[in-house]
Amino acid sequence: MFVIFGAAGNVGTVSAAALRRAGRNVRAVIRDEAQGELLAKIGCEIVLADLLDTATVARAIKGAHAVQLLCPVPHAHTDPARAMRRMIDASVAALRADPPPRLLALSDYGAQHPAGTGITTLFHELETQLRTVDSQLTFLRAAEHMHNWARVLPVALARGVLPSLHHPLSKRFPSVAAQDVGTLAAELLLDDRAQPVSPRIVSIESHERVSALDVARTIGELAGRAVAAREVPRGEWDAMLQGAGLGERHARLITDLYDAHNAGRIDVEADISERRFGATTLAEVLAAIVPGVAAATVR
């Protein structure tokens, strides 16, 4: 049995589908039943679990040959870091008590740093705690997801300006398509060869690094309208993020992350030998998102 946490998400759905195509039994772990319809249609067993509840995590992993773990940042929580640490504690407790033979955790570029990276620091904490689980471990560290630009697309298309926390606008940074992460995660779970070391650390990003200027130009080309990238001044970050609905603590995690990004700390670890590159381009990801948002902005 292959157990996929976050199976209804952009990465998890791809992993679950790839494992089903490979003929494996898949248990899709989701938060509520409404998320499970499509997964059930492809033959997944559907299980509800709360990552804050060790007992439900334990039920979800019972009898698992392999587990794909996602601890998402709980955006709606007033203190997302505290809530995610509770998720990590609960999940790791269940995995220590009943360790599966194989365990893959979805992590982030920059997770090698113990502090000073905002949200990414939480993935360092996840990796640190999982090292105490008696499983064959893989950490799949992904670059910034291309799909994240969807959050600012309505503003970019309505105003013709793409706000960016990446400084300077010409700075090229790693990014990756969620579907490429999901496909690679399934491939790694299916790799039954003995690992010479545990944890096995694998990084993934797109073949081509991009800049905020590239993102703005691509959005404009897809939407058929001019879009210019704007470097949001550092002093305006907190107000902009909180104005977008983020709580103060969540906004701080984001600002700390982009301070680290702009200092060059959110990147592949220098001595990682297993580097993979996704085939999906930024234009392909945005082409699936921009038309719908563009149509909505002219109504």
Side-chain angles (χ1 to χ4, degrees):
M1 177 65 70
F2 287 74
V3 177
I4 309 296
F5 283 84
N10 292 326
V11 172
T13 53
V14 173
S15 296
L19 291 167
R20 288 296 298 137
R21 287 194 299 272
R24 301 305 198 272
N25 293 324
V26 174
R27 182 178 298 150
V29 185
I30 55 178
R31 286 174 295 188
D32 61 73
E33 283 190 68
Q35 299 176 313
E37 185 177 351
L38 293 177
L39 293 160
K41 284 182 178 178
I42 64 171
C44 294
E45 174 190 343
I46 307 300
V47 171
L48 302 184
D50 179 356
L51 286 175
L52 294 169
D53 182 349
T54 298
T56 64
V57 175
R59 286 196 293 270
I61 66 172
K62 189 174 180 60
H65 166 70
V67 172
Q68 179 170 309
L69 181 65
L70 168 67
C71 275
V73 179
H75 301 298
H77 201 280
T78 56
D79 190 346
R82 181 172 176 269
M84 185 167 165
R85 289 187 179 104
R86 287 176 57 210
M87 286 183 186
I88 294 170
D89 290 343
S91 300
V92 171
L95 289 161
R96 282 189 192 128
D98 184 16
R102 305 180 64 80
L103 173 58
L104 180 145
L106 298 170
S107 188
D108 272 10
Y109 270 32
Q112 67 270 24
H113 301 298
T117 59
I119 286 174
T120 300
T121 302
L122 299 169
F123 289 94
H124 176 84
E125 294 177 23
L126 172 66
E127 290 189 9
T128 299
Q129 286 214 45
L130 287 176
R131 290 171 189 264
T132 66
V133 177
D134 188 20
S135 295
Q136 190 166 292
L137 279 174
T138 299
F139 297 147
L140 177 53
R141 294 181 184 165
E144 178 178 308
H145 283 202
M146 296 170 179
H147 194 86
N148 290 349
W149 289 102
R151 300 168 187 166
V152 293
L153 273 179
V155 171
L157 294 177
R159 302 178 186 173
V161 175
L162 178 75
S164 175
L165 305 187
H166 285 286
H167 293 184
L169 296 175
S170 59
K171 179 194 69 166
R172 303 184 75 80
F173 53 87
S175 62
V176 70
Q179 59 260 42
D180 290 340
V181 180
T183 298
L184 176 57
E187 176 188 320
L188 294 172
L189 287 173
L190 290 167
D191 183 359
D192 281 328
R193 295 174 297 176
Q195 292 180 193
V197 294
S198 183
R200 176 185 187 183
I201 301 176
V202 183
S203 71
I204 182 169
E205 63 180 88
S206 175
H207 278 289
E208 185 176 4
R209 295 192 168 194
V210 298
S211 68
L213 296 172
D214 297 324
V215 176
R217 183 181 66 253
T218 303
I219 292 170
E221 290 171 352
L222 291 167
R225 64 186 76 172
V227 176
R230 172 181 176 262
E231 186 177 293
V232 181
R234 178 63 180 82
E236 297 177 10
W237 288 8
D238 282 316
M240 184 191 77
L241 292 168
Q242 292 183 51
L246 274 64
E248 181 181 353
R249 289 186 175 93
H250 192 181
R252 175 58 61 85
L253 289 175
I254 299 292
T255 58
D256 287 351
L257 169 64
Y258 279 91
D259 280 338
H261 230 311
N262 295 334
R265 300 183 71 213
I266 306 299
D267 210 326
V268 65
E269 190 171 3
D271 58 354
I272 286 182
S273 59
E274 283 200 71
R275 297 190 63 186
R276 306 293 182 91
F277 297 90
T280 309
T281 65
L282 176 70
E284 289 169 332
V285 170
L286 292 177
I289 307 169
V290 169
V293 178
T297 61
V298 298
R299 289 175 187 165

